[in-house]
């Protein structure tokens, strides 16, 4: 029996849920009950006699599809709920292709290559098509091929470039293996529906009503798929999204799909959901003032019936270390005063590299945390590379560290040589380094390889002597060794996107900065620093089993989530908006990203920016983000760090803290 009740919805949600026929665009602002409205619409359609099997709901992730199915099951009889199709775009394409892929020259039992399968095939092809002096990172090739496919670029026939040759052979081998990768699923489903009218009509007649979630994140292929499946005249297509939260342009999402919806589906009904169920009016006011500065958008004005609430705090702090200390101390104060769990707090930032100082401070103050939307600092490739380099400089006989860096960057010591050396070292019970540098081993490899080994060992030895000299600047010596070896250039080449390049470069420089700071406060040298890093890594491993604590999260990963108390750090020009966005003309997407960060907050929001931030090992002056000017107005309080730190504590705050502490002690 249906548990659907129209009066549980606000007037705009009711209009959206009970729209009868034709295209419908639901502009669902942040926190306005988007999923609830979609589920209500599906339930209403069933109550009006639409067969459940004729309803298709498309989402972007398996998690979203599962959530939608669960919500539908809670509103309808289980039998009817099970007949409704709620799936991702890719799962839908698999269903379409499984019955008719033979019409495109595939067998219907085609295999689906995941990212690991793709990478394995691309590596094999690179080894076949590249000369010894040519280098192409398999991950970069995979990213470029995916981008080409999503842009509709066919594999080249001339194969004049390395990437062109790899793409062409990859495409041919997938076909020969009767396999498709994830991009092919979309491409071939669109091809099938375009080229075969009978197949298109079969699927159109099956799904009489389509609902598409997060429509602002669709790319051109996904839009074409929706258009091809839309049945009736006018088509019963309902799309739900928010152009103000379109933040994935860098991976192919087209905000124009939602901005120009009328071009694709004529005369739609457009309904705006603006009543917010998440945040206070102070937070919503700041968000509204910010986003209205984007010229191309569909106007919305979020509001809440809730009165009161804290103002949005904008705080200028001296540097990123003080920023981290301030934020962690504020979290502690709020928690102590209100007896809240750590999970009620989130720290959001633009770049993964910003998490390092925050992690360090949280760890030092023994505050539990979990990292979302990025690896822990110690798990990043560049961090592992540099720590392994430091280990080798102190102890070349550390086989694990040596294996990590011997070909990172490429030094002319190939995998065949390394395998041979490992065999010899196992037999002789020597370290890998001792084997490689032994005169008898040089006789078993080519003159060119022997010369490469000699140069590498001499560079290690020369730097090691300087490192062991009392008073040596270890950070400077390690940095010089990495630069001379070509590590930073190689790191840059291996990145798939400019965003990744900046993140990895920032992570590498952060390790060196941390080493420089360690030198200032300790006389234990490079070995002491490595010991400290090892202990920190062990603490990280301990935390992995306990996913509770303060959430550290990138702004991109924060989309769709909410937290009672949010700290948005690093609101500086060059970070947000990102420096690159100015030359690429994507400042509007950066503004939307900042808007997403603001609208994650439920009860309180604190935004911080630094006067100086450590970048690439040295303090650099920072300008406040221009977005901070745009949010100014009622409900936004701009404060200085020293003003806050020198403010006397209110007597009632002291009493509340003691009461909260007594309560916690009583529970324990």
């Amino acid at each position: 029996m249906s548990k659907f009740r129209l009066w549980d919805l606000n007037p705009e949600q009711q209009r959206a849920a009970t729209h009868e026929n034709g295209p419908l665009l639901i502009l669902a602002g942040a926190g306005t009950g988007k999923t609830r409205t979609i589920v209500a619409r599906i339930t209403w359609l069933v109550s009006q006699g639409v067969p459940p099997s004729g309803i298709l709901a498309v989402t972007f992730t398996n998690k979203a599809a599962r959530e939608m199915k669960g919500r539908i099951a809670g509103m309808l009889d289980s039998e009817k709920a099970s007949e409704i199709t709620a799936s991702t775009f890719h799962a839908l394409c698999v269903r379409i292709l499984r019955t008719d892929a033979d019409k495109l020259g595939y067998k219907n039992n085609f295999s689906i290559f995941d990212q690991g399968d793709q990478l394995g095939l691309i590596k094999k092809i690179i080894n076949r098509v590249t000369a010894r002096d040519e280098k192409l990172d398999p991950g970069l090739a995979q990213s470029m091929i995916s981008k080409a496919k999503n842009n509709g670029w066919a594999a080249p026939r001339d194969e004049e470039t390395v990437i062109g040759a790899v793409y062409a052979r990859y495409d041919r081998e997938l076909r020969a293996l009767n396999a498709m990768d994830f991009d092919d699923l979309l491409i071939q489903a669109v091809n099938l529906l375009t080229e075969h009218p009978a197949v298109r009509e079969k699927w159109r007649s099956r799904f009489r009503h389509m609902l598409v979630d997060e429509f602002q994140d669709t790319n051109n292929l996904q839009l074409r798929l929706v258009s091809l499946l839309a049945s009736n005249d006018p088509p019963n297509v309902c799309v739900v999204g928010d152009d103000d939260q379109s933040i994935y342009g860098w991976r192919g999402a087209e905000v124009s799909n939602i901005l120009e919806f009328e071009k694709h589906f004529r005369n739609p009904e457009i309904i705006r959901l603006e009543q917010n169920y998440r945040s206070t009016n102070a937070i919503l006011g700041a968000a509204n003032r910010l986003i209205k500065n984007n010229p191309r958008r569909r106007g919305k004005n979020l509001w809440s019936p809730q009165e009161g609430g804290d103002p949005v705090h904008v705080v200028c702090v001296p540097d990123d270390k003080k920023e981290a200390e301030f934020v962690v101390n504020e979290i502690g104060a709020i928690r102590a005063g209100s007896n809240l769990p750590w999970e009620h707090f989130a720290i959001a930032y633009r770049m993964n590299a910003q998490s390092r100082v925050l992690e360090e401070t949280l760890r030092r103050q023994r505050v539990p945390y979990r990292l979302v939307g990025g690896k822990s600092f110690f798990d990043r490739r560049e961090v592992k590379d540099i720590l392994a380099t430091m280990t080798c400089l102190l102890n070349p006989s550390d086989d694990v560290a040596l294996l990590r860096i011997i070909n990172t960057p490429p030094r002319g010591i190939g995998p065949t040589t390394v395998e041979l050396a490992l065999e010899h070292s196992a037999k002789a019970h020597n370290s890998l380094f001792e084997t490689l540098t032994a005169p008898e081993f040089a006789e078993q490899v080519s003159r060119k390889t022997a010369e490469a080994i000699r140069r590498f060992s001499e560079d290690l030895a020369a730097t090691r002597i300087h490192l062991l000299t009392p008073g040596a600047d270890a950070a400077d010596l390690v940095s010089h060794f990495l630069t001379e070896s070509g590590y930073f250039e190689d790191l840059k080449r291996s990145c798939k996107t400019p965003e990744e390049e900046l993140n990895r470069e920032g992570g590498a420089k952060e390790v060196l900065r941390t080493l420089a700071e360690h030198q200032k406060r300790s006389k234990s040298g490079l070995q002491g620093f490595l010991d400290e890093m090892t202990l920190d890594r062990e603490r990280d491993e301990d935390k992995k089993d306990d996913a509770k604590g303060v959430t550290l999260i990138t702004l991109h990963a924060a989309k769709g989530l909410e937290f009672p108390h949010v700290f948005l750090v690093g609101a500086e020009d060059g970070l947000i908006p990102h420096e690159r966005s100015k030359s690429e003309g994507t400042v509007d997407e950066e503004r939307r990203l900042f808007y997403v960060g603001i609208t994650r907050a439920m009860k309180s929001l604190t935004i911080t920016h630094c006067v100086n931030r450590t970048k690439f090992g040295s303090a650099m002056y920072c300008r406040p983000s221009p977005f901070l000017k745009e949010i100014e107005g009622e409900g936004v309080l701009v404060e200085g760090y020293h003003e806050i730190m020198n403010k006397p504590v209110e007597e009632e705050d002291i009493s509340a803290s003691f009461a909260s502490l007594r309560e916690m002690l009583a529970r324990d």
Side-chain angles (χ1 to χ4, degrees), residues 457-525:
S457 62
E458 285 180 359
D459 288 345
L460 271 179
T463 306
R464 189 164 184 260
I465 289 168
H466 288 301
L467 277 170
L468 297 175
T469 304
D473 186 338
D476 187 59
L477 287 166
V478 172
S479 178
H480 181 75
F481 180 84
L482 290 164
T483 303
E484 289 299 305
S485 71
Y487 174 76
F488 294 114
E489 284 302 312
D490 184 63
L491 184 69
K492 199 180 290 186
R493 279 194 301 271
S494 70
C495 293
K496 300 171 191 174
T497 63
E499 182 92 9
E500 184 189 357
E501 184 184 320
L502 283 162
N503 276 334
R504 292 211 181 279
E505 187 180 14
K509 299 294 184 185
E510 188 65 29
V511 184
L512 297 171
R513 182 191 72 81
T514 310
L515 171 58
E517 286 193 351
H518 178 271
Q519 288 176 168
K520 290 175 187 173
R521 60 180 166 81
S522 172
K523 293 182 180 177
S524 59

